[in-house]
């Protein structure tokens, strides 16, 4: 099996950058908790030209926000390719497949299939959850629609023209337990059809390397692209919060010590330095195809980070998003 | 078994407000085993209601009775002997199936559920019960080391642990074990971890509640 973008031409800019072998950079955009187009546009400003594609979250942490698809379309209109996230918490397989068809019709190139955070921590803990599918099933469903022109039930899509040619994304978390199953879980996602995977926030480089070594050994890095998730720490407080309060994130003591060891007003800078050092190390780590930048409420730092980490200029591939003079489909 | 727990007393006193005569009916099935609605619990609830009504200056007659099983037409029929004594309200201390059977058989009686039916499970230790099954109608636990990910994983995941599993605990609550940690441990210790490696694409939920209320008809038993 080969990675699909090179072979089949799925996806858009991100797929082409990854296929070219260039070190990719993706970003993150959390849609606003309102219906303001302007708010989305403002969030794209720090990202255009600095990342190859942006993950647009789907009611992240189970807090109601503008829908991922709507925010993706606004971002794409600004020339920023979107990775539409889709979680299994809120919709069943009927609603999700329908949205995937719509997203394809409206020009979405990349979809990231996730299980989703439990609603317990969100703004509607009294909600009923769905979890009809899980992330692996959703990945398999998207692949089936794309490669076989079939729905999950096995029913055919009408004709071949409307097959959704998504570049399929997934998450991987080397830092959650049980560690022994983590590579197998990533493998399951790749077997189901994931073309690229982005990690949970990386702080524990040793554990990440252990994971990548096994992934490379199993040949997974030849079958899919692995991007490491980078979250710059803003303060010692944030480091402690991530360490103690966020399940599935590990912040090693050395990092907490290092950031706590500098005066408060210098902590943010240290956080950025740590992030840039990590990126530097990842550039040469076997099996790593790029980084996924996800600053928390600190999006305006992205330009400085990509600059300092020497990730600029971003490679440009001609395409409907990169080239404003190219004919646009309605909604793009 | 079906695990239930008694509703808060304030809710139950609300049910009987204004009543002069109340009948509390227990059940010797699951709710006796899980100490929620057997003879002993009937006695306790009846005493609490008596005390409460006396304190409020409106003393109420509270009778007690425990049935063999409330979810059985035969016993529901026999329960008729307890009626006709002027009870204004009947409080069923069976799981919620009991009061439905009684209400159907005796449509003119005012019957309230005194328990909340919580889940299908068992006792982990004295006084602690936990959910073990969701009655999905197509049991697959043998493929998961004998543990049920559908009822015991907060997200019913069938392809492995989510990214929030940490130190054996579920991301949803420190109090809850991550069943996927248990599944992986079990399969690993049996040298069968590989069996978990094939992706499962979507469970068929038709045999579960999603297919509508369920019914079993056994030809060999139908008279
Ligand atoms: S697989 Fe289904 S029937 Fe078996 S224990 Fe789990 S919920 Fe119950
Ligand atoms: S932590 Fe474990 S039990 Fe909880 S939702 Fe994730 S996989 Fe399921």
């Amino acid at each position: 099996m080969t990675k699909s973008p090179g072979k089949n031409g799925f996806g858009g800019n991100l797929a082409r950058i990854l296929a070219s072998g260039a070190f990719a950079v993706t970003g993150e955009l959390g849609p606003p908790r309102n219906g303001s187009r302007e708010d989305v546009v403002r969030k794209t400003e720090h990202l255009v030209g600095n990342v190859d594609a942006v993950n647009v979250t789907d009611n992240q942490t189970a807090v109601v926000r503008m829908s991922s698809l709507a925010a993706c379309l606004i971002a794409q209109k600004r020339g920023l390719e979107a990775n539409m996230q889709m979680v299994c918490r809120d919709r069943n397989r009927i609603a999700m497949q329908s949205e995937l068809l719509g997203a394809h019709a409206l020009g979405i190139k990349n979809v990231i299939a996730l299980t989703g955070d439990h609603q317990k921590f969100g703004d509607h803990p009294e909600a009923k959850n769905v979890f009809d599918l899980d992330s692996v099933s959703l990945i398999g469903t998207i692949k089936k629609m794309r490669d076989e022109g079939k729905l999950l039930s096995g029913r055919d899509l009408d004709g071949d023209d409307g097959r959704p040619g998504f570049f399929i994304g997934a998450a991987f978390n080397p830092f959650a337990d049980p560690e022994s199953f983590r590579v197998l879980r990533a493998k399951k996602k790749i077997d189901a059809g994931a073309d690229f995977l982005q990690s949970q926030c990386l702080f524990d480089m040793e554990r990440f390397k252990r994971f990548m070594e096994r992934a490379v050994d199993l040949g997974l890095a030849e079958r899919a692209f692995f991007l490491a998730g980078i979250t710059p720490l803003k303060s010692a407080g944030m480091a402690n919060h991530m360490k103690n309060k966020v399940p599935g994130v590990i912040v090693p003591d050395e990092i907490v010590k290092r950031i706590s060891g500098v005066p408060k007003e210098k902590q943010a800078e240290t956080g950025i330095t740590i992030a840039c050092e990590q990126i530097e190390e990842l550039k040469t780590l076997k099996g790593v195809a790029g980084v996924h930048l996800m600053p928390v409420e600190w999006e305006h730092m992205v330009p400085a980070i990509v600059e300092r980490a020497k990730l600029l200029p971003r490679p440009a591939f001609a395409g409907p998003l990169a080239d404003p003079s190219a004919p646009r489909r309605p909604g793009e | 078994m079906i695990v239930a727990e008694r509703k808060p007393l304030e809710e139950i006193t609300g049910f009987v407000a204004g009543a002069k005569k109340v009948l509390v009916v227990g059940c010797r099935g699951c709710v006796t085993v899980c100490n929620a609605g057997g003879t002993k619990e009937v006695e306790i609830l009846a005493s609490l209601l008596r005390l409460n009504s006396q304190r409020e200056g409106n003393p109420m007659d509270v009778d007690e009775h425990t049935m063999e099983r409330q979810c059985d037409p035969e016993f529901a029929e026999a329960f008729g002997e307890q009626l006709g004594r002027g009870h204004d309200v009947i409080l069923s201390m069976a799981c919620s199936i009991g009061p439905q059977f009684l209400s159907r058989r005796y449509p003119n009686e005012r019957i309230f559920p005194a328990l909340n039916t919580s889940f299908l499970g068992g006792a982990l230790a004295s006084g602690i019960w936990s959910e073990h099954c969701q009655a999905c109608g197509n049991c697959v636990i043998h493929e998961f080391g004998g543990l049920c990910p559908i009822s015991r994983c907060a997200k019913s995941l069938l392809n492995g642990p989510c990214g929030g599993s940490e130190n054996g605990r579920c991301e949803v609550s420190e109090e809850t074990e991550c069943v996927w940690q248990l599944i992986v441990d079990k399969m690993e210790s049996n040298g069968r971890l590989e069996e978990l490696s094939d992706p499962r694409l979507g469970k068929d939920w038709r045999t579960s509640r999603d297919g509508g209320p369920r019914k079993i008809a056994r030809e060999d038993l139908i008279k």
Side-chain angles (χ1 to χ4, degrees), chain B residues 152-155 157 160-162 164-165 169-171 177-180:
Chain B
R152 296 174 68 185
C153 164
K155 301 174 188 171
L157 300 180
C162 78
S165 174
R169 301 282 119 188
C170 173
E171 69 165 25
E177 288 174 305
C178 168
V179 76
W180 267 103

Side-chain angles (χ1 to χ4, degrees), chain A residues 93 115-118 120-121 129 131-134 136-137 140-141 152 173 175-178 180-182 184-185 188 191-192 200 243 246-249, chain B residues 154-168 171-173 178 180-181 184-185 188 193-194 196-205:
Chain A
R93 61 191 81 183
T115 297
D117 302 312
H118 196 273
K120 180 168 179 185
F121 304 105
N129 61 38
F131 297 118
D132 175 18
L133 302 181
D134 59 12
V136 175
S137 311
T141 304
L152 179 59
N173 188 358
F175 316 109
D177 289 324
S180 59
F181 199 71
R182 287 295 148 188
L184 265 184
R185 178 138 165 98
K188 261 177 130 157
D191 289 345
Q200 172 64 285
K243 180 184 167 82
V246 186
V249 172
Chain B
K155 301 174 188 171
S156 297
L157 300 180
L158 294 176
N159 283 296
C162 78
S165 174
E166 206 171 277
N167 301 320
E171 69 165 25
V172 170
S173 157
C178 168
W180 267 103
Q181 175 77 52
V184 169
D185 288 348
E188 222 170 7
L193 198 59
E194 279 301 311
L196 296 174
S197 60
D198 286 337
R200 287 172 161 266
L201 299 195
K203 182 175 166 67
D204 181 347
W205 294 108

